[in-house]
Amino acid sequence: MLKGVRQPSLSRTLLIGSLALLLFWSVTTLAEDVIVLELNLNNWDDRVIASTQEAVRRFEELNPDIQVNVVRRKNWDEVAVRIIAGDPPDVAILGLSIGVHGPAGLFIGLDDFITDELRAAVFEPMWSNFTWDGVQYLVPAMEHGPRLAMVWNAQYLAEAGLALNPYEALTWEEFFDYADKLTVIDGEGNVERMGYDPMNGQNIRLFTIAPTWGAADYLSPTEEPKLNHPNLVRMLDYTAERTAYQYPGYTWRTGWYTPGIATGEVAVSNLGVYAPGEIATRNPDMEILVTWVASLDGSKVQQVNGWGLGIPAGAKNPEASFRLIEFLATDVAFQLDLYNRTGFMGGGIEFFNELAATERDPNRRWYIESLFSADFIHAPYPDPFSGRADSLFRTAVQGVFNRTSSAAPLLEDAQRTLVAEMRQEGRF
């Protein structure tokens, strides 16, 4: 024994040991009680991830029993493989393809989780974007909002002496007259700038353009499709007449922004709420004007679509997962922060009200106001055959633009093909 050093008694040693064991047991138990969730997002840029992580921190403060890791996936396939292998993320974001992946068993239905209060808190038309065969698979959440608007290069309008009222809709005939005046042809007859390129942006994307031609019902959950809809035939022939046939030497711009409107090669394009922010990142000096997309009769048509949050099959803590989904789908601070960083919208009514009171940019305000002033809002549902319908339609577009045939026979062929494939899958 060392002289001058007081040795602890046996009872004191046992007490200290017991306290240490109790502390270790408490920390271990606390760690075991904390639920760790993975929030799996698209491969969006760092601004989206940073905004989401800040929201997650607030969620964790309100829910100390939950810890959330935000993961940015490379692609959807890696998530699908994980779900099938029994190692799914707890919450994952998905779009209209939920119409395939939900019925395939990759996501669980959320109807038992969704309260009347949550339904009332989200802009009502958005819910159908993620409802298929009577099952709600996703909750409208991030990057979800108005998808239609004609985005015009304001400088080109001014140079052509053209003025537009952003709160009035043109007919398609009136619109193409404007587009012609914005088209620039050089001395040798080459198109230097196209007023409106139907292959650019969402201009010829079937599910976005069909509602503006009175053909939103070309797909139905219970009836045969109508790819040969009279208004789609009319739309395709008329668009070809006013573009492909009128400017035969033009090389189509298939990019949404570059090449396209942001590089000045196209004067006007149909682009959603993300457009002002996306254009600014590529051409910060470009001034734009946002108006209604043209329509068959000059009515104001809007569409809502985007991404939703859901729970993959096999997720271990669905109740905690849904608490996170509900928070992100309704938290105004998160949605405002995400909007301010990226231009992404959420689906919350309170968010829209707050945004309408604070947003000063007229182009961005237009998108908000359009949701509440449209004559018709189209909310495409996640039909498993929507992608195939769009593909068949695009093939018909190419045939018409290349003068292989007029629209009617090509869309009749597309109709027969789609009906046959749907019947083979037991749709009818």
Side-chain angles (χ1 to χ4, degrees), residues 16-40:
I16 293 173
S18 299
L19 290 173
L21 182 62
L22 179 61
L23 179 61
F24 173 78
W25 178 84
S26 299
V27 172
T28 303
T29 302
L30 180 61
E32 290 176 351
D33 285 345
V34 171
I35 298 171
V36 179
L37 301 179
E38 176 189 328
L39 171 59
N40 191 280

Side-chain angles (χ1 to χ4, degrees), residues 130 145 239 416:
F130 307 126
T239 302
R416 283 191 292 270

Side-chain angles (χ1 to χ4, degrees), residues 163-194:
L164 286 168
N165 184 337
Y167 298 103
E168 293 180 358
L170 301 172
T171 65
W172 278 109
E173 183 177 3
E174 291 170 335
F175 169 79
F176 278 111
D177 288 343
Y178 271 80
D180 285 341
K181 294 174 183 177
L182 295 171
T183 300
V184 176
I185 300 175
D186 66 18
E188 298 179 356
N190 299 312
V191 177
E192 289 186 348
R193 180 181 78 216
M194 194 71 168

Side-chain angles (χ1 to χ4, degrees), residues 216-234:
D217 60 340
Y218 73 92
L219 270 184
S220 166
T222 58
E223 301 174 357
E224 286 192 358
K226 303 175 197 169
L227 282 187
N228 57 350
H229 193 296
N231 286 3
L232 293 180
V233 173
R234 179 181 177 185

Side-chain angles (χ1 to χ4, degrees), residues 384-402:
F385 282 92
S386 60
R388 180 58 172 152
D390 197 71
S391 174
L392 289 167
F393 181 77
R394 183 166 283 267
T395 299
V397 168
Q398 292 168 341
V400 173
F401 282 15
N402 292 332

